[in-house]
Amino acid sequence: MSQDWGYTVQPQQGGGDIMHALAEADRPRHSDKSAGQWVKSNLFNTWYNSIITLVFGALAFWAGYYAIRFVLFTARWEPVSDNIELFMIGLFPRDEITRIVSQFLLLAGALGLFVGWLRTRALNQAHESGAEIKQSTLREYLSVYSAVTLFITFTLVIGADTIGPWLLTLGCIMAAVTSYMATLRLMKPLFKLVLLSPLAITAGVLSTIPDLNNQAAYAIAAAATTALVVVHFIRALPVTLTVGMLAAVLAFQSLSGTDGLAWLYLTLASLPTVFWLLAKTGDRRMPALGGAGAIILTAALVWNTAINSFDLWSIVLLAALASALAGLFRSDPSTGARFGAIIVAAAVATFISDRIGFPGIDWGEWGGLQLNIVVASAAIILAFPVGLLLALARRSSLPVLRYVATVYIELIRGVPLISLLLMGQFFIGFFVNSDTPLSNVTRATTAITMFSAAYIAEIVRGGLQAVDKGQTEAGQALGLTAAKITRLLVLPQALRAVIPAMVGQFISLFKDTSLLSIIAILEFLGVREIIHAQEAFRGFGIAETLVYVAFGFWAFSFTMSRESQRLERRLEVGDR
Amino acid sequence: MSDDTNTLPSNAPDQVFADATQLMGASKEVMIDVAGVDKFFGEFQALKNINMRVGQQEVVVVIGPSGSGKSTLIRCINRLEKHDRGQILVGGVELSEDIRNIQEIRRETGMVFQSFNLFPHLTVLENITLAPRQVRKTSKRDADAIGMDLLERVKIPDQAHKFPGQLSGGQQQRVAIARSLAMRPKVMLFDEPTSALDPEMIKEVLDTMKDLATEGMTMIVVTHEMGFAREVADRVVFMADGQVVEVGTPEHFFDNPQEERTKLFLSQIL
């Protein structure tokens, strides 16, 4: 195929290098000037700038003086410091604290794994493209995480009266670092021993809490240790992702218990690894796996039809079986195999979640900042895909989809969240017929999810419209189907473009969880009410508790915003 | 018109064809058959009763003033625009409402755009292997091999793992050509492939296209590069106001144009 094309190409300097050089040249050089010179040329270079500097400098000084005086000297922090547990977890049963501990440790571990996963992926990509990886500097990390660190430190300093919370914080940091290290290629055997530390951390933290049944926590610690060893020695990105997701799911369930959806979480978490294994086994075994899935589906279909007669589930199973078989026997055995693999994974997950079910703490007993974070995370995780689908539906060529999405979005966006929350108390029960009434928190989470999904849909739609039409045309000209053009070409570019707006929406969602107090849920802000109902703090320290709650919301929101900016900068690799 | 035989009698190479439906050279298979095509954008008629046939391995260069419907014509051939009347056949398949026909034609037809339209979030190699993997279900290893082979051909194998944004315009357009070739098309459509390029990069792209023509690819090229038209084209089609005004071999077209409109255009650009 190679032939002489009759010309030689001069090596050209890539546009990227030129842009890099330009950016380099534009970078301001602080080092040229002394501090005095900088002040003179930037703050007092003209008479009006001098006035602005003086006026606003005085204002800032005045505000800063009173703020510092309040925080350090005049404020009475007792209402906060005596009630820090209330602020953090509300009225969560105190003899079930083990669950909170294991939740935090697992979440920290999951975080470490996710960061390691992202980093390894970026490194692999940079290695292939020969591009330099953008290292975040210490300064960047400080600017991102100093707010939340400050909040946690403040909380610990004024609120922790035992060593427990300090140990837990330390344990979380170590769990995150250890999990992160598990994703790295470590040469020294001594370092590899660090992988065993989850056991030590958990044992250490739990030993500070007296009189608790810690068996489950120790079991989780052992599992976590094993998982880290697996992650480290297999060194495959999908496995890391699966273990991270499992840790996150388990963290959630250590509080909520295994509900009816446990099999679904387990299946979803396992998918990266399942597909990875599928790809590893190669084309040869694909039909076998697809066949196994088809057999299980058939068995489930027969079983369900025999026990429950031909109901909705039978139809679902039949449809699944049909598509698996279609994939298996038509053009593309890998579709059938993937389908089969999902079914096999779901079957195994159902079996496991059936065996190791354990009860949770009723939603009504959750509270404090913990609840805000859980509700916000759940709403973000749910609202994102819903919003994405709504945005796609609104741009669909199918009129019914388009109208439904448009009506939904415009209805929801025209209604205040607070009224949705109140309506959720009444209306969701009408739509969802359940023997046990839905909990307050579930209703509220649903309302917030519905609300945010409409806004996210509009944000995503903006991103979709911003993608150049030429991208779609190029995809069409290559013979890609409309679905693949959207999924592989348009969406990735659209989503990347809307990260800032999206994170802004997530931040406002997080802050909106403070509205839950209006429907009698004891969240971070609402905790104040029971604090000031106490004899000792009635009408006392109201400003202090308000400031503390505001500080908490700000710390997390600011961190999210900063982290999104850092993410944007990192994603710039290969953007243009 | 399209129902008659697919092969046409040979014609003397120097003859001027007022009729674009006549083919060049000795009895070649008809690759593209455009018959009586009209296209409207609202009230505006962009194409007026276009008739054109392109034989296998033929290189047809379409020129004309801007707004004359050249781009619209080739965008109709792979259904980036929908024609309103008439019939278009590519490789014997008719462009109809049937999505399967459209997909089949798009698979067999490569297109190169003025603005490259590379996928900025994918590496150069991923840009090229995307369609073979997703449409032809080629395995990653095979697709990568095809991709690297094509990058050799367009002389930039060392850029395989870079992102399009890191490449020069000429390199990007050559990647775009490689991307189209990866589907092993029977026909290549070029929509002003050098118009967005800096002058010093035009040559490398034209050379790539020239070599493609030498290899026997069937090509329709919309361009303002008269040198390329003169050198590479089997036939030149001149369009104005949505109509085919004149068709001929490059020699006849440039040296001995018949129509007033053509003479005017040539006098303006040459």
Side-chain angles (χ1 to χ4, degrees):
Chain A
M1 200 183 248
S2 65
Q3 67 171 96
D4 186 19
W5 284 68
Y7 64 93
T8 52
V9 178
Q10 298 300 320
Q12 275 156 344
Q13 200 173 16
D17 296 336
I18 293 169
M19 294 316 290
H20 187 69
L22 282 176
E24 200 65 28
D26 277 349
R27 185 174 296 169
R29 290 174 209 287
H30 296 293
S31 53
D32 306 356
K33 290 176 184 165
S34 71
Q37 279 172 319
W38 184 88
V39 167
K40 197 165 179 222
S41 63
N42 285 285
L43 300 180
F44 295 100
N45 52 347
T46 58
W47 63 267
Y48 51 85
N49 195 6
S50 304
I51 291 177
I52 290 172
T53 304
L54 288 175
V55 169
F56 282 87
L59 265 175
F61 184 79
W62 177 77
Y65 170 73
Y66 279 98
I68 290 172
R69 202 178 67 146
F70 173 76
V71 170
L72 293 183
F73 302 109
T74 60
R76 306 289 305 274
W77 291 109
E78 291 86 3
V80 177
S81 59
D82 289 0
N83 293 298
I84 224 72
E85 260 188 16
L86 270 179
F87 272 119
M88 290 300 119
I89 55 175
L91 295 176
F92 195 85
R94 293 299 188 264
D95 51 355
E96 295 280 1
I97 294 283
T98 326
R99 291 174 186 261
I100 301 264
V101 171
S102 58
Q103 182 207 25
F104 273 108
L105 292 176
L106 280 168
L107 272 184
L111 188 74
L113 286 173
F114 288 142
V115 172
W117 177 74
L118 280 171
R119 169 135 184 98
T120 313
R121 221 170 55 134
L123 276 176
N124 288 351
Q125 207 172 37
H127 180 71
E128 273 206 343
S129 67
E132 268 179 59
I133 182 144
K134 286 196 181 163
Q135 285 277 14
S136 292
T137 56
L138 184 65
R139 201 182 148 147
E140 268 184 302
Y141 282 117
L142 278 180
S143 92
V144 173
Y145 292 106
S146 51
V148 75
T149 311
L150 197 65
F151 175 72
I152 292 171
T153 314
F154 180 78
T155 303
L156 282 173
V157 166
I158 69 163
D161 42 9
T162 63
I163 195 171
W166 288 97
L167 264 184
L168 176 58
T169 311
L170 193 69
C172 284
I173 295 170
M174 285 190 61
V177 171
T178 310
S179 316
Y180 176 65
M181 279 171 71
T183 66
L184 302 179
R185 192 188 298 273
L186 296 174
M187 292 305 167
K188 294 220 172 78
L190 199 62
F191 277 127
K192 290 185 195 279
L193 273 181
V194 172
L195 299 177
L196 300 176
S197 59
L199 274 176
I201 294 170
T202 313
V205 173
L206 290 185
S207 64
T208 65
I209 306 168
D211 307 329
L212 292 179
N213 173 14
N214 294 335
Q215 277 174 351
Y218 287 127
I220 292 175
T225 309
T226 320
L228 286 195
V229 171
V230 166
V231 163
H232 183 70
F233 287 101
I234 292 188
R235 289 193 53 79
L237 281 175
V239 176
T240 312
L241 189 59
T242 290
V243 172
M245 287 200 286
L246 281 178
V249 166
L250 209 56
F252 177 68
Q253 293 193 328
S254 64
L255 260 63
S256 73
T258 50
D259 52 19
L261 289 175
W263 65 273
L264 183 64
Y265 311 140
L266 278 181
T267 311
L268 288 178
S270 74
L271 284 188
T273 300
V274 169
F275 284 156
W276 173 71
L277 285 175
L278 202 60
K280 281 224 124 184
T281 51
D283 299 342
R284 211 160 27 87
R285 305 232 176 97
M286 289 223 171
L289 245 168
I295 289 168
I296 292 180
L297 269 175
T298 315
L301 177 64
V302 170
W303 180 76
N304 185 58
T305 313
I307 304 272
N308 303 334
S309 81
F310 196 82
D311 62 359
L312 188 69
W313 270 109
S314 303
I315 299 174
V316 172
L317 287 169
L318 195 62
L321 181 62
S323 34
L325 289 177
L328 205 53
F329 290 115
R330 268 189 70 207
S331 54
D332 179 18
S334 72
T335 308
R338 278 184 168 224
F339 215 94
I342 295 175
I343 300 297
V344 172
V348 173
T350 310
F351 179 77
I352 292 175
S353 59
D354 247 21
R355 288 297 128 113
I356 57 165
F358 54 92
I361 306 298
D362 192 67
W363 281 103
E365 301 188 71
W366 296 32
L369 184 58
Q370 154 91 4
L371 183 65
N372 294 62
I373 294 176
V374 167
V375 169
S377 313
I380 287 171
I381 292 171
L382 294 171
F384 177 67
V386 175
L388 199 66
L389 291 177
L390 279 172
L392 292 173
R394 193 166 185 181
R395 280 168 54 94
S396 163
S397 56
L398 308 173
V400 175
L401 275 183
R402 202 166 56 231
Y403 293 146
V404 168
T406 309
V407 166
Y408 176 87
I409 290 168
E410 296 305 334
L411 269 184
I412 295 281
R413 290 206 313 156
V415 177
L417 175 58
I418 184 84
S419 66
L420 271 183
L421 279 172
L422 291 171
M423 282 159 75
Q425 299 300 301
F426 302 105
F427 290 146
I428 293 175
F430 295 164
F431 292 113
V432 186
N433 252 327
S434 169
D435 298 337
T436 50
L438 293 169
S439 76
N440 237 353
V441 174
T442 314
R443 290 158 187 269
T445 310
T446 313
I448 294 182
T449 303
M450 288 171 65
F451 181 78
S452 305
Y455 282 88
I456 288 170
E458 286 301 276
I459 292 171
V460 173
R461 190 165 71 104
L464 290 173
Q465 272 164 357
V467 175
D468 183 29
K469 198 162 176 295
Q471 296 289 308
T472 308
E473 289 182 351
Q476 286 174 338
L478 288 168
L480 292 168
T481 58
K484 280 189 171 163
I485 291 171
T486 303
R487 186 164 59 85
L488 300 170
L489 303 179
V490 179
L491 261 187
Q493 296 181 48
L495 290 182
R496 191 175 296 189
V498 298
I499 288 175
M502 191 87 85
V503 173
Q505 183 60 37
F506 290 160
I507 288 172
S508 79
L509 187 160
F510 172 64
K511 291 185 297 184
D512 283 346
T513 56
S514 59
L515 290 175
L516 262 58
S517 54
I518 284 168
I519 48 173
I521 293 172
L522 202 64
E523 51 71 56
F524 196 38
L525 181 67
V527 164
R528 286 181 65 257
E529 293 196 9
I530 59 169
I531 288 174
H532 292 299
Q534 294 167 9
E535 194 70 47
F537 304 119
R538 193 165 293 158
F540 167 68
I542 290 177
E544 283 81 350
T545 50
L546 269 178
V547 165
Y548 178 69
V549 169
F551 179 37
F553 275 114
W554 173 79
F556 282 95
S557 306
F558 183 73
T559 303
M560 282 205 268
S561 140
R562 276 311 177 104
E563 178 59 45
S564 90
Q565 287 169 14
R566 197 172 69 91
L567 188 69
E568 267 174 82
R569 277 196 299 276
R570 294 180 64 109
L571 283 179
E572 267 172 27
V573 182
D575 203 12
R576 59 187 61 83
Chain B
M1 172 163 294
S2 58
D3 284 339
D4 59 10
T5 173
N6 257 2
T7 55
L8 292 165
S10 68
N11 293 291
D14 277 344
Q15 189 184 335
V16 176
F17 307 106
D19 181 2
T21 62
Q22 308 246 353
L23 288 184
M24 271 288 302
S27 57
K28 283 174 177 166
E29 296 272 318
V30 177
M31 202 63 224
I32 297 171
D33 190 342
V34 178
V37 164
D38 290 338
K39 165 76 190 165
F40 293 87
F41 289 113
E43 292 291 297
F44 175 72
Q45 187 167 8
L47 296 178
K48 298 170 187 160
N49 190 27
I50 301 286
N51 292 289
M52 185 164 103
R53 280 186 181 180
V54 179
Q56 221 168 44
Q57 307 204 338
E58 195 180 14
V59 178
V60 172
V61 171
V62 183
I63 60 176
S66 58
S68 59
K70 323 176 289 279
S71 290
T72 308
L73 173 61
I74 68 167
R75 286 166 60 85
C76 279
I77 291 174
N78 67 353
R79 199 36 98 92
L80 290 184
E81 304 287 354
K82 183 174 171 294
H83 59 278
D84 294 312
R85 263 199 295 274
Q87 196 180 35
I88 299 177
L89 284 108
V90 180
V93 180
E94 187 187 350
L95 262 184
S96 59
E97 291 299 323
D98 191 342
I99 188 75
R100 272 169 303 182
N101 280 10
I102 296 175
Q103 291 296 56
E104 190 178 338
I105 287 174
R106 283 177 176 166
R107 276 199 297 272
E108 305 298 340
T109 313
M111 179 138 187
V112 176
F113 298 88
Q114 178 177 353
S115 48
F116 326 140
N117 293 349
L118 292 176
F119 309 129
H121 61 301
L122 302 177
T123 64
V124 164
L125 189 61
E126 286 165 348
N127 262 279
I128 297 173
T129 57
L130 180 77
R133 291 186 60 190
Q134 296 293 335
V135 181
R136 298 235 193 265
K137 307 281 178 203
T138 316
S139 73
K140 178 168 167 30
R141 198 187 313 144
D142 293 349
D144 282 353
I146 295 171
M148 286 313 294
D149 206 14
L150 285 166
L151 282 173
E152 290 295 337
R153 277 176 65 178
V154 297
K155 310 253 190 227
I156 38 176
D158 48 328
Q159 314 283 11
H161 298 288
K162 288 195 178 165
F163 288 94
Q166 295 168 290
L167 270 54
S168 73
Q171 290 173 328
Q172 290 195 39
Q173 193 60 299
R174 281 184 281 151
V175 172
I177 294 174
R179 180 177 70 179
S180 301
L181 291 176
M183 286 295 283
R184 305 205 186 288
K186 294 181 184 140
V187 183
M188 285 286 284
L189 307 172
F190 292 86
D191 188 3
E192 304 200 21
T194 56
S195 299
L197 293 177
D198 291 337
E200 75 270 21
M201 294 168 183
I202 290 178
K203 184 177 181 300
E204 64 191 52
V205 172
L206 288 182
D207 284 346
T208 308
M209 291 164 60
K210 223 176 277 180
D211 293 327
L212 205 55
T214 318
E215 278 180 17
M217 176 64 78
T218 310
M219 291 161 60
I220 302 185
V221 184
V222 172
T223 186
H224 296 295
E225 295 295 328
M226 295 306 148
F228 177 82
R230 192 184 275 273
E231 192 181 344
V232 181
D234 294 314
R235 271 190 306 163
V236 177
V237 173
F238 176 70
M239 285 181 71
D241 303 326
Q243 285 169 309
V244 173
V245 174
E246 186 163 356
V247 181
T249 60
E251 298 80 43
H252 255 99
F253 182 81
F254 288 110
D255 303 334
N256 188 18
Q258 305 293 306
E259 302 286 332
E260 282 309 313
R261 191 74 185 77
T262 317
K263 288 175 188 162
L264 179 69
F265 177 74
L266 289 174
S267 71
Q268 281 165 343
I269 59 157
L270 291 179

